[in-house]
Amino acid sequence: MDYLEQDPCLTSIKPMPSLKPGEVAQHPIRENGEKLVPASLIPEKILARPEYFLQGLAHSLPECLVREGVLKRLIKAANLLPKGFKLVLLDTYRPVELQKLLFDKYLEEIRQKRPGAGHEELMKLTQRFVALPRSDKGSPSPHLTGGAVDLTICDDQGMVLEMGAGFDETTFRSFTRYLEEKLENKDPLSPDQETALKNRRLLYHVMTAAGFTNLPNEWWHFNYGNQPWACRVSAKGFAPAVYGPARPDFRWA
């Protein structure tokens, strides 16, 4: 099935307004108490492939946990996909210890590439792709809330769709509108980039139709209920965040 020609939600991704420095961290949270639940129990719609656990990173989990409201919206988004296509979750709830590990690893990568850079510059460059590891109730890291999801799409043959940049790729190619801007600037797109452009649009539109907002620097990252989400939907009228830091309800952990 040539879904690229048939799907009606493949319009361009519009520019997203920039958030003011400190705006996300200062946005109020009114925790609603929803539990973290596994997202792997409906494989006919959503596949869980926890990347960091597969890569053997410390503190990672072998399950993709999300808040109850997030799971309902993921199902809604999956129902908007072409027949046989599924969402593939790559990372969801992330303990702050894992967030710190990722932040420190990427900070060291940047330091190696820019040996003359000062601490402030290194921290700023690192935060383009990895959030600060914060566990405080007033400003938790997005993934710690259970309201942030990293995901892609696979087709009815189980093949992951081409997106033009890999998950966690830390280059400008990962920016959600990277291919849109090339098109707007009349830069030629390769056949693979044309396909990736349409696939990014498909992912973006099914997720936003289900109530999520996108992180502009990462085509794969979407938020619901946390502070980044609240800041973006507040542009249409004030909305508090409803998810603060979360913790799995593990009996023996």
Side-chain angles (χ1 to χ4, degrees):
M1 179 184 71
D2 190 359
Y3 78 94
L4 295 178
E5 301 301 327
Q6 297 180 21
D7 197 286
C9 71
L10 294 177
T11 57
S12 63
I13 300 171
K14 303 303 180 186
M16 290 168 258
S18 299
L19 298 176
K20 298 176 183 178
E23 183 178 358
V24 172
Q26 295 171 8
H27 203 87
I29 302 172
R30 297 176 188 168
E31 173 63 56
N32 69 3
E34 284 182 7
K35 294 181 179 180
L36 289 170
V37 294
S40 64
L41 304 181
I42 43 173
E44 66 277 8
K45 296 182 183 295
I46 301 170
L47 301 177
R49 192 178 190 279
E51 275 293 316
Y52 299 132
F53 180 79
L54 294 173
Q55 294 177 35
L57 294 187
H59 312 295
S60 58
L61 299 175
E63 173 62 271
C64 288
L65 300 172
V66 296
R67 296 283 192 131
E68 294 168 314
V70 171
L71 181 58
K72 291 176 182 178
R73 286 163 178 81
L74 286 172
I75 294 170
K76 180 178 179 179
N79 285 333
L80 296 173
L81 292 172
K83 184 178 179 181
F85 283 39
K86 300 176 183 180
L87 297 178
V88 182
L89 293 178
L90 305 171
D91 186 46
T92 52
Y93 168 77
R94 186 187 298 169
V96 70
E97 295 86 356
L98 176 55
Q99 186 70 35
K100 185 177 187 307
L101 185 151
L102 293 171
F103 189 90
D104 290 346
K105 279 180 174 289
Y106 189 47
L107 177 63
E108 184 57 30
E109 282 186 27
I110 299 295
R111 182 180 287 113
Q112 293 292 330
K113 293 176 181 177
R114 304 202 179 195
H119 177 73
E120 185 175 342
E121 181 183 359
L122 291 172
M123 293 292 286
K124 182 178 180 180
L125 290 171
T126 302
Q127 290 176 71
R128 286 190 308 172
F129 291 102
V130 185
L132 280 169
R134 297 185 300 242
S135 58
D136 59 282
K137 292 183 178 181
S139 179
S141 302
H143 278 279
L144 182 63
T145 69
V149 295
D150 296 337
L151 76 171
T152 187
I153 300 171
C154 69
D155 64 18
D156 53 0
Q157 301 299 310
M159 300 298 292
V160 174
L161 301 189
E162 173 62 53
M163 291 294 182
F167 169 59
D168 268 357
E169 180 176 320
T170 50
T171 72
F172 287 110
R173 299 194 315 162
S174 294
F175 284 26
T176 304
R177 296 195 74 254
Y178 171 75
L179 295 171
E180 299 284 359
E181 291 178 357
K182 285 181 67 71
L183 192 66
E184 292 164 1
N185 294 331
K186 301 189 185 315
D187 294 337
L189 299 182
S190 69
D192 282 350
Q193 287 179 324
E194 290 180 357
T195 299
L197 174 66
K198 295 175 182 178
N199 290 337
R200 287 193 189 194
R201 289 177 177 180
L202 178 62
L203 178 63
Y204 177 86
H205 286 302
V206 300
M207 290 296 288
T208 55
F212 292 90
T213 62
N214 175 246
L215 177 65
N217 286 11
E218 299 175 351
W219 61 259
W220 58 82
H221 181 117
F222 291 84
N223 294 295
Y224 176 79
N226 55 19
Q227 287 173 307
W229 167 86
C231 285
R232 294 210 171 273
V233 299
S234 284
K236 303 175 183 178
F238 178 77
V242 293
Y243 299 151
R247 183 186 177 95
D249 186 19
F250 292 154
R251 171 65 176 86
W252 302 108

